[in-house]
Amino acid sequence: MKTQPTGMRAFLIVWAGQVVSLIGTGMTQFALGIWAWEETGKATALVLVFFFFLVPNLLFSPIAGALVDRSNRKLVMMVSDITAGMSSIVLFFLLAAGRMEIWHLYVSAVWTGLFESFQWPAYSAAISTMLPKEQYGRANGMMMLAESGSRILAPIFAGALLAFVAIENILLIDVVTFTFAVAALFFVHIPQPKPSSEGQAAQESLWADVAFGFRYIRSRSSLLGLQLVFTGINFVAAFSFPLMTPLILARTGKDELVLATVQSVGAIGGVIGGFLLSVWGGPKRRIHGVLGGMILGSLLGQVPLGISQTTVLWAVGAFMASFFLPFLNGSNQAIWQSKVPPDLQGRVFAARRFIAQFSFPFGLALAGPLADQVFEPAMRGGLADSFGWLVGTGAGSGMGLMFVIFGLLGAGVGLAGYIFPHIRNVETIMPDHQGGTAEETPAEVPLQAEAVV
């Protein structure tokens, strides 16, 4: 019997399976976004899909993280992939029967959000046991590359196929592609983490494990401060990121080709950024990748998307916004993977994600109504006299103004992170973990009052 692949070879196999699966998922998201806009003509409908995905994902994430640390991570990854694929199967049959309604997308989003809460901490923690620390930056760059690459190909494939086939056939392709991710996991070896002294001391009940992740971060003010920066940027991003599809469809009269072009060019930016990160490994001080990525992505990507009124300029804005995402997310991931012992990463990473993203649903709940009921009507009235020169007028101009406003606020969040020493010096304040041994627990240093925004 042949030995299962390990190390970088195993990671590459898992990564390849994810690439194929992500393309199928991206095609489904593109096709269903078109379907939802044609059914409702409202930005709120598309934003609610994000909302119903994220809320259960966040609420269950701390429990999922604790269960990941208690379970076989390879098995958890396989189960999460399979359950996510089940959602596409159900939607396929609904569409084929002609019984699809908008609320079915919300139910599907709840289901996939619930089980994706296991997937992210399991995959993140698996990298820490499969590869040495010096490979974390490159591995995370490759994961960003996979996500961005799928966003290039998925709109192109889906847009081309929709001219000849019904939407349900796109979902059928998704059902086929997710099996590649499961098969890749089946054929590789993913080691379980070695117990650390801190992990052994923390073995308690499930609910105590859930609370442990939050206590761990709270007692390390640098890590907590870093996540509070993400809390801010995610809240700001919620007011524009989900509006990209309705923005372009509104401004182009539902031109699917323009939407696919902009999304694909944006994804090319992410691919190039992910490739550079995977080859380079990121800046020596990874905090510059995090905060610098926030600032540059907001100013050079998000703001131009709001100002632009042509396909070329939208594409440039989407390219720049996506280009900096791998540096932001990959650098942050590498910081956490090097600081937190692998056997604690499931529960700590889940708590970390909750802290960073709990603000996002609040922004999503406001984004759709603000676009449909405030900014869009206002830009057909008196507000057009003040900002029409910047974002134009007509359908979509209100959402364009939202992109500009919240893009500037996003850059401000990144600049705020540089102000506080506990955040910008996180890599020197927090020691790296040593293999399977936890680092010494640092003295509890409270955040400076002005850091709590």
Side-chain angles (χ1 to χ4, degrees):
M1 180 177 176
K2 292 184 178 180
T3 304
Q4 289 182 308
T6 60
M8 180 54 77
R9 183 184 175 195
F11 173 77
L12 288 172
I13 293 172
V14 173
W15 178 81
Q18 285 297 300
V19 170
V20 175
S21 180
L22 285 169
I23 290 173
T25 300
M27 292 174 64
T28 292
Q29 291 172 345
F30 180 89
L32 292 178
I34 298 294
W35 180 88
W37 180 259
E38 291 178 344
E39 289 290 311
T40 67
K42 296 290 186 181
T44 300
L46 278 76
V47 171
L48 283 176
V49 175
F50 287 98
F51 179 84
F52 283 112
F53 170 85
L54 192 61
V55 170
N57 182 278
L58 282 178
L59 292 179
F60 202 74
S61 183
I63 300 174
L67 290 172
V68 165
D69 280 343
R70 289 167 167 253
S71 309
N72 182 295
R73 289 173 178 176
K74 175 178 174 177
L75 180 61
V76 171
M77 293 155 71
M78 294 177 69
V79 171
S80 65
D81 280 334
I82 291 170
T83 51
M86 291 171 61
S87 175
S88 294
I89 294 173
V90 173
L91 293 179
F92 165 77
F93 283 113
L94 286 170
L95 280 167
R99 302 182 64 180
M100 181 83 150
E101 297 183 29
I102 193 68
W103 67 267
H104 290 131
L105 294 186
Y106 304 152
V107 174
S108 173
V110 170
W111 173 267
T112 54
L114 181 65
F115 286 98
E116 202 273 341
S117 66
F118 288 91
Q119 189 177 53
W120 184 81
Y123 271 90
S124 299
I127 291 175
S128 302
T129 59
M130 296 173 75
L131 301 172
K133 291 179 187 177
E134 57 269 19
Q135 296 292 337
Y136 290 171
R138 290 182 173 85
N140 289 316
M142 291 180 66
M143 294 304 292
M144 298 296 107
L145 181 63
E147 293 178 12
S148 299
S150 68
R151 289 192 290 117
I152 294 176
L153 299 175
I156 294 174
F157 290 165
L161 287 173
L162 284 173
F164 305 101
V165 302
I167 289 178
E168 55 263 32
N169 293 305
I170 302 296
L171 273 73
L172 187 60
I173 293 172
D174 188 17
V175 173
V176 174
T177 58
F178 86 82
T179 61
F180 281 84
V182 177
L185 289 167
F186 181 79
F187 286 109
V188 304
H189 174 65
I190 298 177
Q192 289 292 99
K194 296 178 181 179
S196 68
S197 58
E198 192 167 359
Q200 291 174 322
Q203 290 179 350
E204 301 178 77
S205 67
L206 175 62
W207 293 110
D209 281 352
V210 171
F212 174 85
F214 291 97
R215 292 199 312 269
Y216 185 96
I217 297 173
R218 185 187 63 188
S219 66
R220 293 154 174 82
S221 59
S222 290
L223 294 180
L224 177 58
L226 182 60
Q227 289 313 97
L228 289 177
V229 172
F230 275 85
T231 301
I233 196 66
N234 284 326
F235 180 71
V236 169
F239 286 92
S240 54
F241 165 72
L243 297 177
M244 183 173 171
T245 293
L247 167 73
I248 294 176
L249 290 175
R251 288 196 155 182
T252 61
K254 302 180 182 179
D255 193 322
E256 299 172 7
L257 180 60
V258 172
L259 177 62
T261 299
V262 173
Q263 289 186 347
S264 295
V265 173
I268 290 172
V271 165
I272 294 174
F275 177 76
L276 289 176
L277 181 62
S278 63
V279 173
W280 174 30
K284 186 174 182 180
R285 288 197 62 197
R286 288 166 175 157
I287 192 64
H288 294 317
V290 177
L291 301 179
M294 288 183 186
I295 296 168
L296 295 174
S298 298
L299 291 179
L300 302 180
Q302 198 169 346
V303 171
L305 274 168
I307 296 173
S308 303
Q309 298 179 59
T310 66
T311 302
V312 172
L313 293 179
W314 282 322
V316 170
F319 180 95
M320 299 305 295
S322 298
F323 176 81
F324 291 105
L325 274 178
F327 294 95
L328 190 165
N329 289 324
S331 298
N332 185 56
Q333 184 79 327
I335 290 173
W336 285 83
Q337 287 169 332
S338 64
K339 303 301 179 184
V340 181
D343 63 326
L344 302 178
Q345 287 183 6
R347 67 200 100 165
V348 173
F349 282 17
R352 156 198 161 197
R353 193 181 201 187
F354 184 91
I355 294 169
Q357 295 188 359
F358 85 92
S359 61
F360 200 75
F362 294 101
L364 287 177
L366 296 171
L370 275 177
D372 291 330
Q373 300 173 27
V374 179
F375 280 88
E376 284 294 308
M379 283 301 293
R380 291 194 293 269
L383 203 60
D385 296 333
S386 301
F387 296 101
W389 64 271
L390 180 65
V391 298
T393 57
S397 59
M399 288 183 279
L401 183 57
M402 290 177 68
F403 267 80
V404 174
I405 292 172
F406 291 101
L408 293 173
L409 289 175
V413 171
L415 288 170
Y418 274 117
I419 294 174
F420 304 107
H422 272 68
I423 298 175
R424 69 171 184 265
N425 296 323
V426 59
E427 294 165 90
T428 54
I429 292 173
M430 286 293 303
D432 287 359
H433 71 77
Q434 300 300 318
T437 304
E439 70 270 25
E440 291 293 319
T441 303
E444 185 165 334
V445 182
L447 276 171
Q448 299 178 27
E450 62 266 28
V452 184
V453 182

